[in-house]
Amino acid sequence: MEKTPKMQATNVHVYYGDNHAINKVSLDVFAEDVTALIGPSGCGKSTFLRCLNRMNDSIASARVEGKITLDQQDIYDPKIDVVQLRARVGMVFQKPNPFPKSIYDNIAYGPRIHGLARNGEEMDEMVITSLQKAGLWEEVKDRLEAPGTALSGGQQQRLCIARAIAVNPEVILMDEPCSALDPIATAKIEELIEDLRGRFAIVIVTHNMQQAARVSQKTAFFHLGEVIEYGDTADIFTNPEKEKTKDYITGRYG
Amino acid sequence: MSVSASIFILILLAGAGFFFGRQRSLALVSGKLATLHSLPNQYGWYVGILMLLPGILVILLWIVFSGNIIDTMVIASLPDHAGPATEQARALLLNDIHNTAAGAPHSGSSEIYIQEAAQRYSRLKSQGVNIVSALVALFAVIGGLAGFRTIRPDLRARTHVERVILILLILSSVVAIFATLGIVLSLIVESARFFARVPLAEFFFGLQWSPQTALREDQVGSSGSFGAIPLFAGTLLISFIAMCVAVPLGLMSAIYMTQYSRKNVRKVVKPLLEILAGIPTVVYGFFAALTVAPFIRESGGLLGLDVASESALAAGLVMGIMIIPLMSSLSDDALTAVPEAMRDGSLALGATRSETIKQVLIPAALPGIVGAFLLSVSRAVGETMIVVMAAGLAANLTANPLEAVTTITAQIVALLTGDQEFDSAKTLSAFALGLALFGATLLLNMLALSIVRKYRESYE
Ligand SMILES: Nc1ncnc2c1ncn2[C@@H]1O[C@H](COP(=O)(O)OP(=O)(O)OP(=O)(O)O)[C@@H](O)[C@H]1O
Ligand SMILES: [Mg+2]
């Protein structure tokens, strides 16, 4: 039986001014999977990821063509409210970027702007469960009023994931979430991704082949703005169809 | 021969020294640069500096001391009956002699001995210059030869040259520091003289400011009172009005410029704001006095309010406009320094732009914005021209912005313009006011800078 994709990109092109950064990319994201985007630097992984929650809107020179849907609904439809879209499609960035607020307020930020909690108790509840889901609760439960910036890099990144989880999104986009972290913090985030799988559709950009192999079920290999190969992670890593993919994942790319 | 001519010749000589020093170093190693300790140019500088330094020293000494020495010699040579009895007479006499020597149309008293003294003065002066020129040339030649002869491939010319440069740099900063110290010191000394006559408590807590002191013993009613509270209050009132204008407008224009405007709008608007910062304050001053003040007075009249023709409101409003560019460009810096990632993080959570600005960007930039605010206050407190022209001189103690008030700076100007006796309490009070002002702005600036600096570090 064919599953219906959570998000579906069809013939997407992205231009930065005259620079054609994404060329006719079609890609399905499934709700129960972690989808990894791999490829050499500058091939357009981040650009594509940012299309999925329209973060490219804030780049004046960026222009997106083609169709991207979330639950069959076109997200570039003028009737779509970007604010709503981003509440459903959350994002975690390469460098941890906690707000200059307390740990509590960092998590509560999203629920507050979307009016998700009716009172203080509900908010407390939401903050606690988000921190628990992000595996950070034990480490910070005694210092919720400490500034988010006072945490370690790995903790900050989990805080950012907790912050994204708090608005209860359906999809979480992660752009190289571990590239600024040490191996132990990375392992924690990978565990967390494994935990979150199934509850959220996850799309992750990574430069780390092992990481892609470990955490994802689907992998897309990007090259020069095109998707060269897309399929089950197991197939891509053990038995790639395209020569280019094979070269890249075996490190012979260059 | 004049001093400037000898400086010119000295530079020419040193230039030649540079050239020969350079040639010499090259010749010594027959072009093999690697065997030279330093670069050929550095050998050139080495010789050039050896030629320049003694000459410059001689010229400096001449400039500093020649006047006094020649004056003393001229006075000593006067015939006995003309010798000045007092310091003052001596100064007058010298003045006469200098004027006569300069060929100025002098004031009738062209006594024969003054004519003679003037001639002697001119002669001594030109002889002195000739001697100086000769010395300069001589030292240059000696220095040049010494330098030239000591050039060897292993001479550490670079080290010597760099040391001279280092000393020059240190000297320049020392000059700046000493100038500041001198200014502060003179402020303190003069203020001390003031406080010897007027008690500190009266100055800082007195409510009455009328610095007119009796010129003659028999004058009545102007004993002078130096309570500076009305001035402090006036300064604060006007600064407060100015900040009410500058902070919201400056901050909002910075927000618009950093968050909303397109690149090409920013390209036009930012320089326009900077033009606003370039308008001389005296222009703001007459804008305040001739345009804004009458306008406020008339509109106040329509509302049935009694507005003074020189109101705190007019001065404050215009001062606020003047400060907008400062406030906006400093806030702009603070907002731009907030990492893009912070904004993206908020937008990605589904926050709108204004929510992001209000709840993330401004809190993140707050220390910088506070710094901007403090620097703006310090600017407002120290602003002079606008208040002199538009705020008036009446030392009213009032919180009503429609009345005339005066400020510290406006009073200092009033106290020191025109003919003054330099040791009356009235004149000296200007220094005390200056010291108070200096202390206040110094404090504000230090606070602002420390906040701004701390905040910079946190994003590095
Ligand atoms: N804001 C932007 N403005 C203009 N061009 C951009 C912008 N962001 C990316 N690009 C261009 O788009 C192309 C793809 O960039 P992108 O950041 O998507 O690559 P990437 O695959 O994420 O690379 P990396 O692995 O280094 O993060 C590059 O050529 C880049 O120069
Ligand atoms: Mg990227």
Side-chain angles (χ1 to χ4, degrees), chain B residues 422-443:
Chain B
F422 257 84
D423 53 356
S424 73
K426 177 184 168 193
T427 313
L428 289 175
S429 68
F431 292 96
L433 288 176
L435 189 65
L437 187 63
F438 173 74
T441 48
L442 184 71
L443 219 69

Side-chain angles (χ1 to χ4, degrees), chain A residues 192-203:
Chain A
L192 174 58
I193 292 173
E194 182 61 31
D195 273 357
L196 299 177
R197 177 163 70 90
R199 280 184 272 180
F200 310 96
I202 295 175
V203 185

Side-chain angles (χ1 to χ4, degrees), chain B residues 366-368 370-371 374 446-456:
Chain B
L366 196 61
V370 170
L374 291 178
M446 275 176 9
L447 198 63
L449 288 181
S450 77
I451 289 175
V452 170
R453 195 169 310 131
K454 204 155 132 212
Y455 154 80
R456 285 250 168 78

Side-chain angles (χ1 to χ4, degrees), chain B residues 28-67:
Chain B
L28 275 178
V29 294
S30 45
K32 284 206 230 40
L33 283 181
T35 48
L36 273 178
H37 171 271
S38 313
L39 293 173
N41 272 350
Q42 287 161 341
Y43 289 98
W45 278 112
Y46 170 74
V47 176
I49 288 172
L50 276 179
M51 297 174 72
L52 275 175
L53 276 187
I56 290 176
L57 217 74
V58 170
I59 291 172
L60 278 182
L61 286 177
W62 167 255
I63 290 173
V64 174
F65 293 112
S66 66

Side-chain angles (χ1 to χ4, degrees), chain A residues 41-42 44-47 94 175-176 205 207:
Chain A
S41 199
K45 306 177 297 290
S46 300
T47 300
Q94 178 167 2
D175 194 350
E176 302 182 44
V205 172
H207 277 146

